[in-house]
């Protein structure tokens, strides 16, 4: 997959799927079936549903039993749409010390694991950087989510040493999610360029809580293209087979 030059720059039509979306199983507005139907309608090959695991911040989250029932529904939808891959991810919150709230064998039941950092506001920069880097090094962690993408794209983020985080992500083969939210400050892509140099993959994700938001990846991909990010650095440009292979080996 060694490509270079203009043709390899990411663009909306190169995005094959979405890996961060929520359904009515937790705090999403729409059913799993509606999310899948919309993803298919907008031309995606796969959708990863990453509903929240139960936590103090997500009381609506699923427990292990609910996740097992959700998996049965996912399997039913896989059978209904054999040309479309539906993945069962899980979104969990990192512990303040950089640990994870679930054991490895539980995390291993999901196709991939997204970790979010909901409490960063109260930490000093060193503590927060240490927490994120610790999470990034863990093999079970697939994607680092909020607020990493926003901090990646903010020139002076003031709370996170992104270089340290990116080196840890390279070590743990952990993907960093770029939400490319168009609101707010002027975006600075230099950290994304560093990620690209270090071989750290990024995922362009809408964190869609409703079906209509799935298409937001297009805006992120346009911005990423202008910034010079290549498809080979963006996990969700992988085909569904390449993605499965990546997930099985990481
Ligand atoms: Zn989410």
């Amino acid at each position: 997959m060694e490509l270079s030059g203009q043709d390899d720059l990411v663009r909306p039509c190169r995005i094959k799927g979405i890996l961060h979306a929520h359904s009515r199983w937790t705090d999403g507005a729409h059913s799993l079936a509606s999310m899948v139907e919309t993803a298919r309608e907008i031309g995606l090959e796969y959708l990863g549903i990453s509903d929240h695991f139960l936590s103090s911040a997500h009381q609506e989250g699923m427990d292990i039993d609910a996740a097992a029932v959700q998996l049965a529904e996912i399997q039913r939808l896989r059978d209904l749409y054999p040309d479309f891959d539906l993945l069962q991810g899980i979104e969990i919150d990192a512990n303040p010390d950089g640990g994870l709230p679930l054991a490895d064998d539980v995390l291993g039941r999901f196709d991939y694991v997204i970790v979010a950092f909901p409490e960063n506001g109260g930490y000093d920069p060193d503590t927060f950087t240490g927490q994120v880097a610790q999470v990034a090094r863990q093999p079970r962690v697939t994607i680092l989510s909020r607020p990493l993408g926003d901090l990646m794209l903010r020139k002076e983020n003031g709370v996170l040493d992104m270089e340290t985080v990116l080196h840890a992500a390279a070590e743990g083969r952990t993907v960093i999610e770029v939400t490319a939210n168009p609101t707010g400050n002027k975006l600075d892509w230099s950290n994304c360029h560093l990620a690209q140099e270090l071989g750290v993959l990024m995922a362009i994700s809408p964190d869609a809580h409703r079906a209509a938001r799935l298409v937001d990846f297009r805006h992120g991909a346009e911005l990423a293209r202008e910034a010079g990010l290549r498809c080979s650095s963006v996990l969700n440009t992988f085909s569904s087979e390449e993605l499965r292979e990546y997930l099985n080996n990481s």
Side-chain angles (χ1 to χ4, degrees):
M1 209 180 292
E2 190 56 42
L3 297 166
S4 60
Q6 192 75 10
D7 287 346
D8 188 40
L9 290 178
V10 68
R11 53 184 188 273
C13 65
R14 299 292 296 273
I15 300 290
K16 304 268 179 29
I18 295 297
L19 291 167
H20 194 162
H22 296 276
S23 74
R24 221 183 268 152
W25 276 89
T26 58
D27 57 350
H30 296 119
S31 69
L32 209 42
S34 307
M35 297 299 280
V36 171
E37 280 154 24
T38 301
R40 287 168 52 82
E41 277 164 19
I42 62 177
L44 298 177
E45 285 180 19
Y46 54 87
L47 175 67
I49 286 288
S50 55
D51 276 318
H52 298 279
F53 198 79
L54 182 66
S55 71
S56 53
H58 289 285
Q59 310 260 346
E60 80 291 0
M62 299 183 299
D63 60 13
I64 296 290
D65 293 341
V69 181
Q70 185 194 48
L71 181 59
E73 187 184 352
I74 284 175
Q75 194 53 55
R76 189 181 61 77
L77 288 163
R78 286 172 180 157
D79 293 344
L80 190 62
Y81 300 115
D83 60 338
F84 185 87
D85 197 6
L86 181 58
L87 297 97
Q88 187 188 34
I90 189 79
E91 183 172 9
I92 57 175
D93 298 337
N95 294 337
D97 66 355
L100 301 176
L102 292 173
D104 265 11
D105 64 321
V106 177
L107 294 175
R109 296 180 197 180
F110 297 92
D111 290 320
Y112 63 97
V113 175
I114 296 183
V115 180
F117 300 86
E119 299 175 60
N120 69 85
Y123 297 154
D124 68 83
D126 284 352
T127 308
F128 186 35
T129 298
Q131 180 201 25
V132 176
Q134 169 83 3
V135 171
R137 283 191 204 97
Q138 300 190 45
R140 279 285 178 215
V141 176
T142 319
I143 299 174
L144 302 181
S145 170
R146 282 187 316 157
L148 273 293
D150 291 348
L151 296 175
M152 284 265 281
L153 292 167
R154 213 181 291 163
K155 199 171 187 60
E156 300 292 338
N157 71 57
V159 292
L160 192 64
D161 173 358
M162 195 50 83
E163 202 173 323
T164 300
V165 169
L166 289 174
H167 278 94
E171 211 178 297
R173 295 187 72 234
T174 301
V175 178
I176 298 195
E177 184 175 273
V178 180
T179 47
N181 188 325
T183 59
N185 300 340
K186 200 166 173 298
L187 304 179
D188 172 19
W189 290 80
S190 48
N191 283 317
C192 295
H193 292 151
L194 177 60
Q196 191 159 256
E197 276 168 35
L198 293 172
V200 174
L201 291 176
M202 290 162 273
I204 296 174
S205 299
D207 190 5
H209 283 74
R210 28 190 342 111
R213 295 268 66 86
L214 282 170
V215 79
D216 286 359
F217 74 84
R218 291 179 184 279
H219 185 76
E222 290 286 5
L223 292 176
R225 176 186 177 77
E226 282 167 30
L229 292 199
R230 297 189 298 270
C231 288
S232 51
S233 299
V234 178
L235 179 66
N236 50 330
T237 64
F238 289 19
S239 69
S240 122
E241 293 76 21
E242 288 166 340
L243 175 71
R244 286 281 182 185
E245 194 182 331
Y246 173 86
L247 294 175
N248 288 337
N249 292 325
S250 59

